[in-house]
C-alpha cells in the first residue's frame, strides 16, 4: 500500500504495522525522516516525530490502548459530539471505533504530492452506532506528512441519510511541551470563551496571551484560523492552522484533576497542553448528500 506521492524517491513511505493488541497502525515517513503514526483505533494520530526523532505529541504513560477505551494523548477525533454537550458518551464514539483503510484513496492534487506521504481512513456507522445516533454518514480522514514535516488532517463527513443531521467536532491535539508554566498561546486575545469550570458561562479573554497557573478548560469562540503555542524552554513554536472549525478549546487538568484520572499520570499535566480545533458552539448541519470538510495543519518552527 505505497501511495506516497514520490514514487521516484523511495524514502517517502507508508507502512502498516500492528500494535500489541493486533490493531493496525500506519506509519507515514517523509523524505527527511520525520514520521507520523496513525492507529485504526479511533483514526487517531499517536505520534508525530521530527527528523531528529523528537516526539511532538504527548501521550500519557498510563494511556489504555484497548478499544473501546479512548487513548489518552496524540490527536483523538471527537465526533459526532464534543465533550458532554449532547446525549452520547463523552466526545462521541469516533475515537473508540476501529476504522478501515481506504485501499484506493483519491490521489493528491499534483501540486501537492511532492515528497508527501499520506493515508486515508474511513469510518462508517455500525448497527450499534445507528442505535445510539441514528444517522448514516461516511467519514473520510486523510492524514498527510509533507516534506517540510507539516502534519495535515482533513476530515470529510458526508450525510448519506435521507434526512438532515447535526454534529459537533474537534481534533483534540495533545502537544508535548517542556513545562506548562513556561508556555503561552497567541491568537485567542479579545475572544469570548465558554468556561467549562464555570458551568459553560461566557467570558471575554482579557490577556494579551494565554499563560497557565491553574486548571484551564475553555472553548474560545470564532477564533482566527491561526493559533501559536510558544514553548520558551524548548525554543519551539507550534503553529496550528484550521479551516471549517471556528472554535478552539484549551485544556490542562492541573494537579488535582490529574490525580483523579486513571489513565493520566499525576505529574503529567506539566508536560502537556491540549488544544482543540473544533466546531462546538454552532453545530454543523448537513442536508442529505451534503459533505463538510474540516482541516487541521500543524507545524513547528524554532523560536527565541
Amino acid at each position: 500500500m505505497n501511495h506516497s506521492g514520490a514514487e521516484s524517491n523511495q524514502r517517502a513511505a507508508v507502512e502498516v504495522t500492528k500494535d500489541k493488541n493486533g490493531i493496525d497502525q500506519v506509519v507515514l515517513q517523509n523524505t527527511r525522516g520525520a514520521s507520523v503514526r496513525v492507529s485504526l483505533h479511533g483514526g487517531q494520530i499517536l505520534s508525530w516525530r521530527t527528523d531528529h526523532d523528537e516526539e511532538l505529541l504527548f501521550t500519557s504513560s498510563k494511556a489504555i490502548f484497548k478499544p473501546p477505551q479512548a487513548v489518552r494523548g496524540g490527536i483523538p477525533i471527537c465526533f459526532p459530539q464534543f465533550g458532554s454537550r449532547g446525549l452520547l458518551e463523552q466526545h462521541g464514539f469516533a475515537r473508540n471505533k476501529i476504522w478501515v483503510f481506504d485501499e484506493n484513496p483519491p490521489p493528491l492534487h499534483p501540486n501537492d504530492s511532492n515528497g508527501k506521504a499520506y493515508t486515508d481512513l474511513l469510518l462508517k456507522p455500525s448497527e450499534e452506532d445507528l442505535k445510539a445516533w441514528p444517522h448514516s454518514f461516511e467519514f473520510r480522514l486523510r492524514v498527510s506528512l509533507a516534506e517540510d514535516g507539516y502534519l495535515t488532517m482533513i476530515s470529510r463527513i458526508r450525510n448519506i441519510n435521507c434526512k438532515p443531521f447535526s454534529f459537533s467536532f474537534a481534533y483534540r491535539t495533545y502537544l508535548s511541551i517542556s513545562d506548562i508554566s513556561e508556555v503561552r498561546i497567541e491568537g485567542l486575545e479579545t475572544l469570548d470563551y465558554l468556561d467549562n469550570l464555570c458551568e459553560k458561562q461566557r467570558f471575554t479573554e482579557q490577556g494579551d496571551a494565554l499563560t497557565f497557573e491553574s486548571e484551564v478548560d475553555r472553548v474560545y469562540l470564532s477564533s482566527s484560523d491561526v493559533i501559536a503555542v510558544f514553548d520558551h524552554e524548548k525554543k519551539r513554536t507550534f503553529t496550528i492552522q484550521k479551516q471549517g472549525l471556528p472554535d478552539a478549546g484549551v485544556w490542562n487538568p492541573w494537579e488535582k484533576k490529574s490525580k483523579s484520572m486513571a489513565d493520566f499520570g499525576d505529574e503529567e499535566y506539566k508536560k502537556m497542553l491540549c488544544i482543540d480545533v473544533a466546531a462546538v458552539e454552532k453545530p454543523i448541519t448537513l442536508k442529505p448528500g451534503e459533505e463538510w470538510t474540516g482541516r487541521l495543519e500543524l507545524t513547528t518552527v524554532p523560536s527565541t
Side-chain angles (χ1 to χ4, degrees), residues 13-14 26-30 34-38 117-119 143-145:
V14 180
V26 196
V27 180
L28 305 177
Q29 196 163 18
N30 73 3
S35 67
V36 167
R37 192 155 45 88
V38 194
Y118 71 103
T119 187
V143 178
S144 60
L145 179 65

Side-chain angles (χ1 to χ4, degrees), residues 61-62 143 213 234 279 287 300:
S61 60
K62 297 191 168 179
V143 178
E213 48 210 26
K234 282 207 170 130
K287 296 190 189 85
T300 63

